Amino acid sequence: MELIDVPEGLAGVAVTATRIGDVLGDEGVYHYRGRSAVELARTTPFEDVARLVLDGGTEPAIGHVELPADLAPIVALGDLRSAVSAYAALSGLRPIMDLSPAERRADAVRLISAFPALVASVARRELVGPRPGEGYVAGYLRMLGGSDPSPAAVRALETYCCLTIEHGFNAGAFTARVVASTGADLGACVTAAYAALTGPRHGAVQTRVLDMFDAIGEPDRAAAWMRSALADRQRIVGFGHAVYRTTDPRVPLLREVCAELAPHRHRLALAVEEAAAEVLAGRRLGANVDLYAPIVLEGCGIPRSSFTATFAAARVVGWCAHVLEQATERKIIRPGAHYIGDPYRG
Ligand code: ACO
C-alpha cells in the first residue's frame, strides 16, 4: 500500500468527523455542540454541560455510583491509572463492539459517575464515596478534602471543570478513539486517555507552573527568570498551544476566577504574562489554560499530586463522548510508518 506523508504530529490532519465540539485555533474560540464553552462555564452547572458534551440528549450523564469494596487495596497504591483500570474490570465492562448504544451509554455514565470517588480515593489511599444528591464538583471536593468545601471553591472548580470537560482532538481524545476503534471496553479507552493526559506536554504541566511561580517569587523577577530559562533552551510552561494561534479562550475566565480566589498568585501570574509578552515577543506564544488552572486548583485546596487527576475528573466526560462517537464507526484506526531500519534480508 502506498503511504501518504502527513505533517509531523498529524498537525492539521483530519482523521474523522465529530459532532462533539470544535476548537477554532485561528479565531481563539471553542464550543460544545455549537454552544460557546466559555459562556456555558459562566452560566451552566457541570451536570448540564456533561449531558450536552456526552451526547447532547436529555438523559443525565451523571448518576450515583459507589465504589466496590474490592477496590480498597488498589486505591491504596495511590495510582489513578491502576484504579480506573481495576474499577472497569471489577464492574465487568464489556467490549464496546459487543454492546448496544444504550449499553455503551450506560457504561459511560457509570464510569463518569465513579470518577470523582476514584480520584479522591486514590488521593486519600482509602475508599470514599459520594452522598446521594450531591453535586459532582462539590462531592469531589468533599471526598478529596474530607469536609464540606466552601461555596467559592465549588464555584471556582465548577468553572474550571466546565472549561476543561472537552477540547477537540487532543492527544487524550485521540488516544481514547484509537482504543475505541479496536472495540475494547470503555475502561480500556479511558485508562489509555488518562495515561496520555499524564504527559507534561499535555495535561501534567500544572505543577510545573506552580514550581515556576515559586522559582520566580516576586512579580519584578519574572522577565529575568524567563530570559534565563529561554537561554537554557527551556520551554516556558503555561505558554503556547498546539492549536490556538491567538488567545486561549479559557484564559480570561480563569484569570477572573483567580483574581477572586487567590489574589497573590493572580498578581504574580499577571506579571508573568506581561514579562512573556516582552520576552516571547514575535513568537505568537500566548498564555494557555495551564497558566491559571493550577492557581484555581491550589486555591480550591487540591494537593499538587491530584492536579492532573482533577483535570481528568472533568475530561472523562469528553473522552466518553469520543468513545461513544467512535463506537459507531466500523474501521479500526491503523496508520502506517516508513521503515528506515536495516533492509529486509529474508
Ligand atoms: N516556550 C518557549 N518556546 C516555545 C513554547 C514555550 N512554551 N512553546 C512552543 N515553543 C516554541 C517551540 O520550541 C517551537 O520552536 P522551534 O520551531 O524552534 O522548535 C515553536 O515555539 C513552535 O512551537 P509549536 O509548534 O507552536 O508548539 P507545539 O505544537 O509543538 O507544542 C505545546 C505545543 C506542547 C503546548 C508547547 O507550546 C509547550 O510545550 N508549551 C509549554 C507546556 C504547556 O504549557 N503545556 C500545556 C498546553 S495546554 C494543554 O495541553 C491542556
Side-chain angles (χ1 to χ4, degrees), residues 202 205 235-236 238-242 245 283 285 288-290:
H202 189 9
V205 75
R235 288 191 175 196
I236 310 293
F239 290 87
H241 195 271
R245 291 295 170 248
R283 296 206 197 189
L285 293 171
N288 65 45
V289 59
D290 286 329

Side-chain angles (χ1 to χ4, degrees), residues 30 32 46 80 115 119 136 140 144 157 160-167 170-172 193-194 196-206 241 248 250 288-290 293-294 297 302-319:
Y30 72 116
Y32 308 144
F46 183 79
L80 185 61
F115 222 85
V119 175
Y136 189 87
Y140 171 59
L144 187 71
L157 191 65
Y160 165 80
C161 287
C162 290
L163 284 174
T164 53
I165 191 169
E166 160 62 11
H167 202 245
N170 54 73
Y194 176 63
L197 191 76
T198 59
R201 287 194 189 130
H202 189 9
V205 75
Q206 296 169 339
H241 195 271
D248 179 336
R250 298 167 289 190
N288 65 45
V289 59
D290 286 329
L297 300 180
I302 295 169
R304 291 184 188 200
S305 53
S306 293
F307 279 7
T308 308
T310 303
F311 186 177
R315 187 55 66 82
V316 64
V317 179
W319 294 331

